Amino acid sequence: MPRKRFDFAMQLVKNIGSELKRLEKAERIISYKTNELDLVTQFDLEIQEEFVRAIIEKYPSDTILAEEKGLSKVKPSSATWIIDPIDGTANFAHGLPLYCISLAYYENSNPVFGLIYSPKTDELFSAFHNDGAFLNDSKIMVSRRNNLKESIITIGTSTLSSMELLNLLHENVRRPRVLGTAALQSAFVAAGYSEAFIGYRLNIWDIAAAYIIVKEAGGKVTDWSGKEITPWETEKMLFSNGLMHKELCSLINTIDF
Ligand code: IPD
Ligand code: CA
Ligand code: CA
């Protein structure tokens, strides 16, 4: 039953989240994955391991797709958990307090529920299919701002084209921001802290939970042409409150990515 899994996931994220919170001052050992920009710490691996161990113990026949330790190529099945143990690893590695845990549960590749926990602020964003989105115990909705000039728009990676986009947003919105954590940036759209998040070349584990949380909060998720997408289409994503979606797509499309 997905409901039982949701209750289990809530408790698990709270438990492992409070451990991550306690690690605030612990020394991070940084290693590199594919290149010097692709960081991982011992805690990314340990946190993932704890999730995997707990899920396997409770639901041994479920599938687990996760960022680290060779679990990133796993094919989804009828019951699949998708884990990003720490999203915003570079921030975490430096002690910058913008990072989170992202855990989602999918059935036949469709999102059923998602959880995003920010240890520094003790905020747990969650959503269950057709049940709305929550921040801790309170229901959340995307913001009602409908004017770019009054909006905060966050963007993802720092490629050259993203810098051009940043410049363009600088001229057209109240404040563009680059925060370094796709999951939390999306959750911020769901909570109405910002109006949109523009993601580029993401992976399913970055946004598996965010996708359902933003939608359940009344937001819109599309590619950069404005077409509704599944969470698996992670190349060019736009998460927004839905009120300036077209204008944002037009702005993004003036840049040659
Ligand atoms: C990264 C962050 C970042 C995004 C990258 C992701 P990680 O995830 O979400 O904001 O721009 O594409 O890989 O490595 O910190 O889990
Ligand atoms: Ca990530
Ligand atoms: Ca990660």
Side-chain angles (χ1 to χ4, degrees):
M1 285 289 289
R3 266 286 162 197
K4 286 218 167 113
R5 281 178 172 76
F6 181 62
D7 296 341
F8 164 76
M10 272 280 184
Q11 205 44 57
L12 193 59
V13 168
K14 283 180 185 166
N15 293 345
I16 298 180
S18 62
E19 269 176 51
L20 184 56
K21 202 175 167 68
R22 281 198 295 277
L23 292 174
E24 236 169 65
K25 300 239 156 32
E27 192 192 336
R28 278 81 152 132
I29 303 165
I30 299 174
S31 19
Y32 303 101
K33 295 195 281 183
T34 50
N35 59 55
E36 281 187 356
L37 293 175
D38 199 5
L39 313 185
V40 64
T41 73
Q42 79 274 38
F43 297 125
D44 295 69
L45 306 177
E46 285 173 22
I47 296 284
Q48 177 170 309
E49 198 52 43
E50 287 198 41
F51 274 110
V52 171
R53 212 180 308 124
I55 294 168
I56 289 180
E57 193 183 306
K58 182 88 176 162
Y59 298 108
S61 34
D62 286 8
T63 301
I64 298 176
L65 196 173
E67 182 178 10
E68 316 293 349
K69 291 194 173 171
L71 290 180
S72 64
K73 298 265 179 334
V74 171
K75 281 218 158 57
S77 73
S78 55
T80 305
W81 297 82
I82 306 177
I83 308 167
D84 191 339
I86 300 178
D87 183 64
T89 293
N91 290 348
F92 173 77
H94 286 249
L96 189 66
L98 282 164
Y99 55 87
C100 63
I101 286 172
S102 172
L103 176 67
Y105 173 72
Y106 280 42
E107 285 186 349
N108 303 312
S109 299
N110 299 312
V112 177
F113 61 76
L115 305 165
I116 292 175
Y117 178 67
S118 155
K120 269 290 189 178
T121 53
D122 213 10
E123 288 179 302
L124 175 56
F125 304 86
S126 68
F128 190 97
H129 183 59
N130 279 341
D131 249 3
F134 291 81
L135 168 48
N136 297 331
D137 293 328
S138 308
K139 203 162 173 137
I140 47 171
M141 287 296 289
V142 291
S143 91
R144 300 177 64 86
R145 284 199 178 82
N146 58 6
N147 180 345
L148 280 181
K149 279 280 177 214
E150 293 170 3
S151 296
I152 291 187
I153 309 296
T154 74
I155 75 170
T157 51
S158 43
T159 59
L160 213 52
S161 312
S162 305
M163 291 301 113
E164 277 180 52
L165 179 59
L166 198 59
N167 249 328
L168 188 67
L169 289 171
H170 182 67
E171 289 159 12
N172 288 279
V173 309
R174 174 168 282 157
R175 289 288 189 282
R177 297 284 188 233
V178 186
L179 306 181
T181 155
L184 211 48
Q185 281 167 266
S186 312
F188 289 171
V189 174
Y193 298 169
S194 81
E195 279 57 52
F197 163 59
I198 302 166
Y200 183 47
R201 294 200 173 145
L202 297 170
N203 288 295
I204 183 65
W205 48 84
D206 299 314
I207 50 76
Y211 179 93
I212 182 164
I213 294 172
V214 170
K215 286 211 153 194
E216 290 291 330
K220 194 164 173 168
V221 186
T222 72
D223 65 11
W224 294 354
S225 73
K227 179 176 80 70
E228 300 258 349
I229 49 172
T230 70
W232 302 88
E233 295 164 81
T234 54
E235 178 72 8
K236 295 173 169 180
M237 301 185 98
L238 175 59
F239 298 75
S240 92
N241 69 357
L243 301 176
M244 294 156 286
H245 213 87
K246 258 196 178 155
E247 291 118 287
L248 280 168
C249 287
S250 308
L251 273 185
I252 299 166
N253 286 313
T254 60
I255 309 284
D256 192 15
F257 269 83

